[in-house]
Amino acid sequence: DGGITQSPKYLFRKEGQNVTLSCEQNLNHDAMYWYRQDPGQGLRLIYYSQIVNDFQKGDIAEGYSVSREKKESFPLTVTSAQKNPTAFYLCASNMARQPQHFGDGTRLSIL
Amino acid sequence: GENVEQHPSTLSVQEGDSAVIKCTYSDSASNYFPWYKQELGKGPQLIIDIRSNVGEKKDQRIAVTLNKTAKHFSLHITETQPEDSAVYFCAAQGNNRLAFGKGNQVVVIP
């Protein structure tokens, strides 16, 4: 089945540690996105990429990094510089002028 | 940037009644307005969308209306069922970026 796969479903981070969240899509979509969701809040854009080897900062990029080496993959690294990383992270993708489709998220918690 | 406000934050309805969620947006250049449904522990799922050249769109029990002059759009769910219980998000798109409202918890009481 075509879709967006996020892994792992749950992730724990220790102080001073970087962690990487995986997002893979087999929809042949050009654009991919990372959002952060906090309780009772809407989705806030972290980074997005409209084409391979290119990406742009969203509204809350500080403390995060991404790469887009392959069309189907857009991993997000939560660095130790992100002081409040506990949240639900959502990856999405789309073709130009088409709706965004979401994965089922990764919940990140601090040990 | 675009700012999307969503009201009410929580809505309880009796099964079979209608539910209406309203959103307002700030950027008159926004031209695409999707609605997403999110169930617990899952990612948002697109349920209906509307573009700025259309005033209303309907898909079975779900409809969306858009008033560009007033810059607001609404989701209407008729004949609600328990499986309609979820969080619903509206969004507005301009400049290739989506801005989301904070979500609305809909509870359908059997």
Side-chain angles (χ1 to χ4, degrees):
Chain A
D1 281 356
I4 301 170
T5 301
Q6 290 189 242
S7 62
K9 192 167 181 66
Y10 300 96
L11 188 57
F12 298 90
R13 195 191 88 169
K14 296 180 181 179
E15 291 289 337
Q17 185 181 47
N18 293 352
V19 292
T20 297
L21 285 60
S22 171
C23 178
E24 303 276 332
Q25 54 99 0
N26 61 3
L27 301 167
N28 201 32
H29 286 170
D30 290 320
M32 298 186 73
Y33 310 80
W34 274 105
Y35 293 90
R36 171 180 170 139
Q37 185 176 28
D38 293 283
Q41 298 294 313
L43 280 64
R44 292 184 290 168
L45 183 64
I46 304 172
Y47 268 99
Y48 64 104
S49 168
Q50 295 179 290
I51 196 169
V52 175
N53 291 324
D54 189 39
F55 48 83
Q56 288 78 38
K57 293 182 178 179
D59 300 318
I60 55 166
E62 186 174 351
Y64 300 97
S65 66
V66 294
S67 63
R68 186 86 187 277
E69 297 176 1
K70 297 186 296 183
K71 186 176 186 178
E72 59 269 25
S73 179
F74 191 40
L76 173 74
T77 296
V78 183
T79 74
S80 57
Q82 172 50 246
K83 298 306 180 188
N84 184 25
T86 297
F88 191 47
Y89 290 87
L90 288 159
C91 178
S93 71
N94 70 340
M95 294 296 286
R97 297 162 57 90
Q98 296 298 313
Q100 290 185 23
H101 295 273
F102 286 83
D104 277 338
T106 292
R107 188 166 299 280
L108 176 62
S109 302
I110 301 302
L111 286 176
Chain B
E2 174 64 273
N3 182 46
V4 178
E5 298 282 342
Q6 187 168 350
H7 305 280
S9 59
T10 305
L11 179 63
S12 296
V13 295
Q14 290 289 333
E15 182 177 355
D17 287 350
S18 295
V20 180
I21 305 168
K22 299 179 181 179
C23 287
T24 59
Y25 61 99
S26 61
D27 187 354
S28 57
S30 290
N31 56 15
Y32 173 64
F33 306 91
W35 285 89
Y36 288 87
K37 175 183 180 182
Q38 187 178 29
E39 296 175 346
L40 197 61
K42 299 277 192 178
Q45 183 177 24
L46 179 74
I47 55 172
I48 196 167
D49 57 6
I50 192 168
R51 297 194 182 271
S52 58
N53 58 346
V54 176
E56 183 175 358
K57 184 176 179 180
K58 189 174 182 180
D59 183 4
Q60 299 181 358
R61 296 186 296 109
I62 295 173
V64 56
T65 58
L66 171 64
N67 183 327
K68 288 187 293 182
T69 303
K71 289 190 281 189
H72 67 71
F73 55 114
S74 300
L75 178 71
H76 305 253
I77 307 172
T78 59
E79 300 172 22
T80 52
Q81 300 168 6
E83 53 264 37
D84 294 328
S85 296
V87 178
Y88 291 82
F89 290 95
C90 63
Q93 178 165 306
N95 296 325
N96 206 36
R97 291 171 60 163
L98 273 179
F100 286 84
K102 291 188 176 182
N104 179 292
Q105 175 76 58
V106 173
V107 178
V108 179
I109 303 166

PDB file of all heavy atoms in Angstrom, chain A residues 40-70:
ATOM      1  N   GLY A  40      -3.398  20.220  22.746  1.00  0.00           N
ATOM      2  CA  GLY A  40      -4.303  21.354  22.605  1.00  0.00           C
ATOM      3  C   GLY A  40      -3.837  22.402  21.616  1.00  0.00           C
ATOM      4  O   GLY A  40      -4.406  23.497  21.578  1.00  0.00           O
ATOM      5  N   GLN A  41      -2.828  22.061  20.827  1.00  0.00           N
ATOM      6  CA  GLN A  41      -2.282  23.025  19.870  1.00  0.00           C
ATOM      7  C   GLN A  41      -2.442  22.520  18.455  1.00  0.00           C
ATOM      8  O   GLN A  41      -2.568  21.335  18.201  1.00  0.00           O
ATOM      9  CB  GLN A  41      -0.794  23.250  20.153  1.00  0.00           C
ATOM     10  CG  GLN A  41      -0.493  23.821  21.518  1.00  0.00           C
ATOM     11  CD  GLN A  41      -1.021  25.229  21.678  1.00  0.00           C
ATOM     12  OE1 GLN A  41      -0.832  26.076  20.813  1.00  0.00           O
ATOM     13  NE2 GLN A  41      -1.698  25.486  22.778  1.00  0.00           N
ATOM     14  N   GLY A  42      -2.426  23.429  17.541  1.00  0.00           N
ATOM     15  CA  GLY A  42      -2.385  23.055  16.134  1.00  0.00           C
ATOM     16  C   GLY A  42      -1.019  22.540  15.754  1.00  0.00           C
ATOM     17  O   GLY A  42      -0.132  22.374  16.604  1.00  0.00           O
ATOM     18  N   LEU A  43      -0.843  22.287  14.489  1.00  0.00           N
ATOM     19  CA  LEU A  43       0.435  21.793  13.987  1.00  0.00           C
ATOM     20  C   LEU A  43       1.327  22.978  13.630  1.00  0.00           C
ATOM     21  O   LEU A  43       0.891  23.914  12.947  1.00  0.00           O
ATOM     22  CB  LEU A  43       0.200  20.933  12.743  1.00  0.00           C
ATOM     23  CG  LEU A  43      -0.248  19.495  12.984  1.00  0.00           C
ATOM     24  CD1 LEU A  43      -1.601  19.414  13.654  1.00  0.00           C
ATOM     25  CD2 LEU A  43      -0.248  18.738  11.671  1.00  0.00           C
ATOM     26  N   ARG A  44       2.568  22.921  14.050  1.00  0.00           N
ATOM     27  CA  ARG A  44       3.518  23.981  13.738  1.00  0.00           C
ATOM     28  C   ARG A  44       4.624  23.421  12.845  1.00  0.00           C
ATOM     29  O   ARG A  44       5.186  22.373  13.127  1.00  0.00           O
ATOM     30  CB  ARG A  44       4.105  24.575  15.019  1.00  0.00           C
ATOM     31  CG  ARG A  44       3.084  25.349  15.843  1.00  0.00           C
ATOM     32  CD  ARG A  44       3.725  26.005  17.054  1.00  0.00           C
ATOM     33  NE  ARG A  44       4.137  25.021  18.049  1.00  0.00           N
ATOM     34  CZ  ARG A  44       4.921  25.302  19.079  1.00  0.00           C
ATOM     35  NH1 ARG A  44       5.403  26.522  19.240  1.00  0.00           N
ATOM     36  NH2 ARG A  44       5.228  24.357  19.944  1.00  0.00           N
ATOM     37  N   LEU A  45       4.949  24.149  11.790  1.00  0.00           N
ATOM     38  CA  LEU A  45       5.878  23.685  10.771  1.00  0.00           C
ATOM     39  C   LEU A  45       7.326  23.847  11.238  1.00  0.00           C
ATOM     40  O   LEU A  45       7.745  24.947  11.617  1.00  0.00           O
ATOM     41  CB  LEU A  45       5.645  24.469   9.477  1.00  0.00           C
ATOM     42  CG  LEU A  45       6.473  24.070   8.264  1.00  0.00           C
ATOM     43  CD1 LEU A  45       6.148  22.646   7.834  1.00  0.00           C
ATOM     44  CD2 LEU A  45       6.230  25.047   7.121  1.00  0.00           C
ATOM     45  N   ILE A  46       8.096  22.750  11.167  1.00  0.00           N
ATOM     46  CA  ILE A  46       9.499  22.780  11.576  1.00  0.00           C
ATOM     47  C   ILE A  46      10.398  23.014  10.360  1.00  0.00           C
ATOM     48  O   ILE A  46      11.180  23.966  10.325  1.00  0.00           O
ATOM     49  CB  ILE A  46       9.900  21.456  12.262  1.00  0.00           C
ATOM     50  CG1 ILE A  46       8.980  21.155  13.450  1.00  0.00           C
ATOM     51  CG2 ILE A  46      11.350  21.527  12.738  1.00  0.00           C
ATOM     52  CD1 ILE A  46       9.204  19.769  14.061  1.00  0.00           C
ATOM     53  N   TYR A  47      10.321  22.125   9.392  1.00  0.00           N
ATOM     54  CA  TYR A  47      11.084  22.215   8.147  1.00  0.00           C
ATOM     55  C   TYR A  47      10.236  21.649   7.020  1.00  0.00           C
ATOM     56  O   TYR A  47       9.349  20.829   7.247  1.00  0.00           O
ATOM     57  CB  TYR A  47      12.371  21.370   8.236  1.00  0.00           C
ATOM     58  CG  TYR A  47      13.603  22.088   8.716  1.00  0.00           C
ATOM     59  CD1 TYR A  47      14.008  21.983  10.043  1.00  0.00           C
ATOM     60  CD2 TYR A  47      14.377  22.847   7.853  1.00  0.00           C
ATOM     61  CE1 TYR A  47      15.153  22.624  10.501  1.00  0.00           C
ATOM     62  CE2 TYR A  47      15.530  23.495   8.305  1.00  0.00           C
ATOM     63  CZ  TYR A  47      15.901  23.377   9.632  1.00  0.00           C
ATOM     64  OH  TYR A  47      17.037  24.006  10.084  1.00  0.00           O
ATOM     65  N   TYR A  48      10.537  22.068   5.788  1.00  0.00           N
ATOM     66  CA  TYR A  48       9.915  21.457   4.644  1.00  0.00           C
ATOM     67  C   TYR A  48      10.897  21.414   3.479  1.00  0.00           C
ATOM     68  O   TYR A  48      11.871  22.171   3.433  1.00  0.00           O
ATOM     69  CB  TYR A  48       8.613  22.164   4.244  1.00  0.00           C
ATOM     70  CG  TYR A  48       8.754  23.591   3.783  1.00  0.00           C
ATOM     71  CD1 TYR A  48       8.679  23.929   2.444  1.00  0.00           C
ATOM     72  CD2 TYR A  48       8.917  24.621   4.709  1.00  0.00           C
ATOM     73  CE1 TYR A  48       8.784  25.240   2.020  1.00  0.00           C
ATOM     74  CE2 TYR A  48       9.020  25.940   4.306  1.00  0.00           C
ATOM     75  CZ  TYR A  48       8.947  26.246   2.970  1.00  0.00           C
ATOM     76  OH  TYR A  48       9.055  27.560   2.561  1.00  0.00           O
ATOM     77  N   SER A  49      10.618  20.503   2.554  1.00  0.00           N
ATOM     78  CA  SER A  49      11.483  20.296   1.401  1.00  0.00           C
ATOM     79  C   SER A  49      10.602  20.103   0.177  1.00  0.00           C
ATOM     80  O   SER A  49       9.726  19.253   0.169  1.00  0.00           O
ATOM     81  CB  SER A  49      12.346  19.056   1.613  1.00  0.00           C
ATOM     82  OG  SER A  49      12.985  18.668   0.410  1.00  0.00           O
ATOM     83  N   GLN A  50      10.847  20.894  -0.837  1.00  0.00           N
ATOM     84  CA  GLN A  50      10.037  20.800  -2.048  1.00  0.00           C
ATOM     85  C   GLN A  50      10.718  19.979  -3.123  1.00  0.00           C
ATOM     86  O   GLN A  50      10.082  19.624  -4.126  1.00  0.00           O
ATOM     87  CB  GLN A  50       9.710  22.198  -2.563  1.00  0.00           C
ATOM     88  CG  GLN A  50       8.827  22.982  -1.583  1.00  0.00           C
ATOM     89  CD  GLN A  50       8.509  24.373  -2.075  1.00  0.00           C
ATOM     90  OE1 GLN A  50       9.374  25.230  -2.119  1.00  0.00           O
ATOM     91  NE2 GLN A  50       7.261  24.595  -2.433  1.00  0.00           N
ATOM     92  N   ILE A  51      12.004  19.676  -2.902  1.00  0.00           N
ATOM     93  CA  ILE A  51      12.742  18.928  -3.898  1.00  0.00           C
ATOM     94  C   ILE A  51      13.964  18.307  -3.231  1.00  0.00           C
ATOM     95  O   ILE A  51      14.433  18.806  -2.198  1.00  0.00           O
ATOM     96  CB  ILE A  51      13.153  19.854  -5.073  1.00  0.00           C
ATOM     97  CG1 ILE A  51      13.570  19.050  -6.290  1.00  0.00           C
ATOM     98  CG2 ILE A  51      14.227  20.825  -4.636  1.00  0.00           C
ATOM     99  CD1 ILE A  51      13.716  19.899  -7.533  1.00  0.00           C
ATOM    100  N   VAL A  52      14.468  17.246  -3.810  1.00  0.00           N
ATOM    101  CA  VAL A  52      15.634  16.570  -3.256  1.00  0.00           C
ATOM    102  C   VAL A  52      16.809  17.541  -3.151  1.00  0.00           C
ATOM    103  O   VAL A  52      16.996  18.415  -4.011  1.00  0.00           O
ATOM    104  CB  VAL A  52      16.012  15.351  -4.136  1.00  0.00           C
ATOM    105  CG1 VAL A  52      17.301  14.711  -3.652  1.00  0.00           C
ATOM    106  CG2 VAL A  52      14.905  14.337  -4.143  1.00  0.00           C
ATOM    107  N   ASN A  53      17.562  17.415  -2.059  1.00  0.00           N
ATOM    108  CA  ASN A  53      18.757  18.214  -1.782  1.00  0.00           C
ATOM    109  C   ASN A  53      18.455  19.683  -1.519  1.00  0.00           C
ATOM    110  O   ASN A  53      19.360  20.538  -1.614  1.00  0.00           O
ATOM    111  CB  ASN A  53      19.787  18.093  -2.917  1.00  0.00           C
ATOM    112  CG  ASN A  53      20.399  16.710  -2.980  1.00  0.00           C
ATOM    113  OD1 ASN A  53      20.634  16.068  -1.955  1.00  0.00           O
ATOM    114  ND2 ASN A  53      20.633  16.226  -4.186  1.00  0.00           N
ATOM    115  N   ASP A  54      17.202  19.987  -1.183  1.00  0.00           N
ATOM    116  CA  ASP A  54      16.840  21.359  -0.832  1.00  0.00           C
ATOM    117  C   ASP A  54      15.797  21.334   0.269  1.00  0.00           C
ATOM    118  O   ASP A  54      14.875  20.500   0.235  1.00  0.00           O
ATOM    119  CB  ASP A  54      16.297  22.092  -2.048  1.00  0.00           C
ATOM    120  CG  ASP A  54      16.115  23.579  -1.760  1.00  0.00           C
ATOM    121  OD1 ASP A  54      16.981  24.160  -1.067  1.00  0.00           O
ATOM    122  OD2 ASP A  54      15.109  24.148  -2.212  1.00  0.00           O
ATOM    123  N   PHE A  55      15.904  22.226   1.244  1.00  0.00           N
ATOM    124  CA  PHE A  55      14.903  22.307   2.297  1.00  0.00           C
ATOM    125  C   PHE A  55      14.921  23.717   2.879  1.00  0.00           C
ATOM    126  O   PHE A  55      15.912  24.454   2.737  1.00  0.00           O
ATOM    127  CB  PHE A  55      15.141  21.262   3.402  1.00  0.00           C
ATOM    128  CG  PHE A  55      16.555  21.195   3.923  1.00  0.00           C
ATOM    129  CD1 PHE A  55      16.993  22.068   4.897  1.00  0.00           C
ATOM    130  CD2 PHE A  55      17.437  20.233   3.443  1.00  0.00           C
ATOM    131  CE1 PHE A  55      18.287  21.995   5.386  1.00  0.00           C
ATOM    132  CE2 PHE A  55      18.727  20.148   3.923  1.00  0.00           C
ATOM    133  CZ  PHE A  55      19.156  21.034   4.903  1.00  0.00           C
ATOM    134  N   GLN A  56      13.794  24.093   3.519  1.00  0.00           N
ATOM    135  CA  GLN A  56      13.652  25.424   4.090  1.00  0.00           C
ATOM    136  C   GLN A  56      13.183  25.330   5.536  1.00  0.00           C
ATOM    137  O   GLN A  56      12.464  24.396   5.902  1.00  0.00           O
ATOM    138  CB  GLN A  56      12.623  26.252   3.307  1.00  0.00           C
ATOM    139  CG  GLN A  56      13.093  26.710   1.928  1.00  0.00           C
ATOM    140  CD  GLN A  56      13.014  25.606   0.904  1.00  0.00           C
ATOM    141  OE1 GLN A  56      12.076  24.816   0.912  1.00  0.00           O
ATOM    142  NE2 GLN A  56      13.995  25.538   0.039  1.00  0.00           N
ATOM    143  N   LYS A  57      13.557  26.323   6.319  1.00  0.00           N
ATOM    144  CA  LYS A  57      13.090  26.394   7.697  1.00  0.00           C
ATOM    145  C   LYS A  57      11.616  26.764   7.732  1.00  0.00           C
ATOM    146  O   LYS A  57      11.146  27.587   6.946  1.00  0.00           O
ATOM    147  CB  LYS A  57      13.889  27.435   8.474  1.00  0.00           C
ATOM    148  CG  LYS A  57      15.347  27.070   8.687  1.00  0.00           C
ATOM    149  CD  LYS A  57      16.049  28.136   9.509  1.00  0.00           C
ATOM    150  CE  LYS A  57      17.504  27.747   9.766  1.00  0.00           C
ATOM    151  NZ  LYS A  57      18.216  28.789  10.553  1.00  0.00           N
ATOM    152  N   GLY A  58      10.914  26.174   8.695  1.00  0.00           N
ATOM    153  CA  GLY A  58       9.544  26.573   8.958  1.00  0.00           C
ATOM    154  C   GLY A  58       9.511  27.599  10.082  1.00  0.00           C
ATOM    155  O   GLY A  58      10.449  28.364  10.267  1.00  0.00           O
ATOM    156  N   ASP A  59       8.448  27.553  10.872  1.00  0.00           N
ATOM    157  CA  ASP A  59       8.250  28.559  11.914  1.00  0.00           C
ATOM    158  C   ASP A  59       9.032  28.275  13.203  1.00  0.00           C
ATOM    159  O   ASP A  59       9.279  29.179  13.988  1.00  0.00           O
ATOM    160  CB  ASP A  59       6.759  28.658  12.242  1.00  0.00           C
ATOM    161  CG  ASP A  59       5.942  29.066  11.030  1.00  0.00           C
ATOM    162  OD1 ASP A  59       6.398  29.963  10.286  1.00  0.00           O
ATOM    163  OD2 ASP A  59       4.860  28.484  10.817  1.00  0.00           O
ATOM    164  N   ILE A  60       9.405  27.008  13.426  1.00  0.00           N
ATOM    165  CA  ILE A  60      10.063  26.650  14.694  1.00  0.00           C
ATOM    166  C   ILE A  60      11.265  25.745  14.446  1.00  0.00           C
ATOM    167  O   ILE A  60      11.417  24.705  15.046  1.00  0.00           O
ATOM    168  CB  ILE A  60       9.074  25.988  15.680  1.00  0.00           C
ATOM    169  CG1 ILE A  60       8.386  24.760  15.040  1.00  0.00           C
ATOM    170  CG2 ILE A  60       8.013  26.966  16.154  1.00  0.00           C
ATOM    171  CD1 ILE A  60       7.675  23.875  16.046  1.00  0.00           C
ATOM    172  N   ALA A  61      12.187  26.145  13.572  1.00  0.00           N
ATOM    173  CA  ALA A  61      13.298  25.291  13.149  1.00  0.00           C
ATOM    174  C   ALA A  61      14.429  25.195  14.179  1.00  0.00           C
ATOM    175  O   ALA A  61      15.255  24.272  14.107  1.00  0.00           O
ATOM    176  CB  ALA A  61      13.847  25.790  11.831  1.00  0.00           C
ATOM    177  N   GLU A  62      14.501  26.104  15.123  1.00  0.00           N
ATOM    178  CA  GLU A  62      15.630  26.117  16.053  1.00  0.00           C
ATOM    179  C   GLU A  62      15.691  24.829  16.859  1.00  0.00           C
ATOM    180  O   GLU A  62      14.702  24.411  17.468  1.00  0.00           O
ATOM    181  CB  GLU A  62      15.530  27.311  16.993  1.00  0.00           C
ATOM    182  CG  GLU A  62      16.763  27.470  17.893  1.00  0.00           C
ATOM    183  CD  GLU A  62      16.720  28.745  18.714  1.00  0.00           C
ATOM    184  OE1 GLU A  62      15.832  29.583  18.475  1.00  0.00           O
ATOM    185  OE2 GLU A  62      17.574  28.890  19.595  1.00  0.00           O
ATOM    186  N   GLY A  63      16.898  24.203  16.877  1.00  0.00           N
ATOM    187  CA  GLY A  63      17.084  22.965  17.628  1.00  0.00           C
ATOM    188  C   GLY A  63      16.791  21.713  16.823  1.00  0.00           C
ATOM    189  O   GLY A  63      16.866  20.612  17.350  1.00  0.00           O
ATOM    190  N   TYR A  64      16.456  21.880  15.558  1.00  0.00           N
ATOM    191  CA  TYR A  64      16.153  20.755  14.665  1.00  0.00           C
ATOM    192  C   TYR A  64      17.038  20.834  13.419  1.00  0.00           C
ATOM    193  O   TYR A  64      17.484  21.915  13.039  1.00  0.00           O
ATOM    194  CB  TYR A  64      14.692  20.780  14.220  1.00  0.00           C
ATOM    195  CG  TYR A  64      13.679  20.703  15.329  1.00  0.00           C
ATOM    196  CD1 TYR A  64      13.082  21.856  15.837  1.00  0.00           C
ATOM    197  CD2 TYR A  64      13.293  19.472  15.863  1.00  0.00           C
ATOM    198  CE1 TYR A  64      12.154  21.794  16.857  1.00  0.00           C
ATOM    199  CE2 TYR A  64      12.356  19.397  16.872  1.00  0.00           C
ATOM    200  CZ  TYR A  64      11.783  20.566  17.370  1.00  0.00           C
ATOM    201  OH  TYR A  64      10.849  20.493  18.370  1.00  0.00           O
ATOM    202  N   SER A  65      17.270  19.680  12.776  1.00  0.00           N
ATOM    203  CA  SER A  65      17.945  19.659  11.482  1.00  0.00           C
ATOM    204  C   SER A  65      17.335  18.563  10.637  1.00  0.00           C
ATOM    205  O   SER A  65      16.733  17.610  11.154  1.00  0.00           O
ATOM    206  CB  SER A  65      19.455  19.436  11.640  1.00  0.00           C
ATOM    207  OG  SER A  65      19.711  18.147  12.160  1.00  0.00           O
ATOM    208  N   VAL A  66      17.449  18.714   9.312  1.00  0.00           N
ATOM    209  CA  VAL A  66      16.884  17.741   8.374  1.00  0.00           C
ATOM    210  C   VAL A  66      17.861  17.509   7.238  1.00  0.00           C
ATOM    211  O   VAL A  66      18.839  18.236   7.054  1.00  0.00           O
ATOM    212  CB  VAL A  66      15.536  18.213   7.782  1.00  0.00           C
ATOM    213  CG1 VAL A  66      14.451  18.284   8.850  1.00  0.00           C
ATOM    214  CG2 VAL A  66      15.697  19.549   7.067  1.00  0.00           C
ATOM    215  N   SER A  67      17.577  16.484   6.453  1.00  0.00           N
ATOM    216  CA  SER A  67      18.286  16.238   5.204  1.00  0.00           C
ATOM    217  C   SER A  67      17.287  15.674   4.209  1.00  0.00           C
ATOM    218  O   SER A  67      16.254  15.120   4.588  1.00  0.00           O
ATOM    219  CB  SER A  67      19.447  15.261   5.409  1.00  0.00           C
ATOM    220  OG  SER A  67      18.972  13.992   5.822  1.00  0.00           O
ATOM    221  N   ARG A  68      17.591  15.838   2.920  1.00  0.00           N
ATOM    222  CA  ARG A  68      16.708  15.277   1.877  1.00  0.00           C
ATOM    223  C   ARG A  68      17.608  14.762   0.752  1.00  0.00           C
ATOM    224  O   ARG A  68      17.718  15.330  -0.324  1.00  0.00           O
ATOM    225  CB  ARG A  68      15.754  16.352   1.345  1.00  0.00           C
ATOM    226  CG  ARG A  68      14.720  15.804   0.371  1.00  0.00           C
ATOM    227  CD  ARG A  68      13.515  15.257   1.004  1.00  0.00           C
ATOM    228  NE  ARG A  68      12.606  14.587   0.114  1.00  0.00           N
ATOM    229  CZ  ARG A  68      11.686  15.189  -0.641  1.00  0.00           C
ATOM    230  NH1 ARG A  68      11.589  16.517  -0.652  1.00  0.00           N
ATOM    231  NH2 ARG A  68      10.887  14.473  -1.398  1.00  0.00           N
ATOM    232  N   GLU A  69      18.248  13.639   1.035  1.00  0.00           N
ATOM    233  CA  GLU A  69      19.172  13.038   0.075  1.00  0.00           C
ATOM    234  C   GLU A  69      18.444  12.171  -0.941  1.00  0.00           C
ATOM    235  O   GLU A  69      18.957  11.913  -2.034  1.00  0.00           O
ATOM    236  CB  GLU A  69      20.244  12.250   0.813  1.00  0.00           C
ATOM    237  CG  GLU A  69      21.123  13.112   1.705  1.00  0.00           C
ATOM    238  CD  GLU A  69      22.132  12.293   2.507  1.00  0.00           C
ATOM    239  OE1 GLU A  69      22.156  11.056   2.345  1.00  0.00           O
ATOM    240  OE2 GLU A  69      22.886  12.896   3.287  1.00  0.00           O
ATOM    241  N   LYS A  70      17.273  11.673  -0.559  1.00  0.00           N
ATOM    242  CA  LYS A  70      16.470  10.851  -1.458  1.00  0.00           C
ATOM    243  C   LYS A  70      15.053  11.386  -1.495  1.00  0.00           C
ATOM    244  O   LYS A  70      14.557  11.921  -0.496  1.00  0.00           O
ATOM    245  CB  LYS A  70      16.467   9.393  -0.974  1.00  0.00           C
ATOM    246  CG  LYS A  70      17.817   8.727  -0.964  1.00  0.00           C
ATOM    247  CD  LYS A  70      17.694   7.251  -0.604  1.00  0.00           C
ATOM    248  CE  LYS A  70      17.172   7.046   0.793  1.00  0.00           C
ATOM    249  NZ  LYS A  70      17.125   5.598   1.161  1.00  0.00           N
TER     250      LYS A  70
END
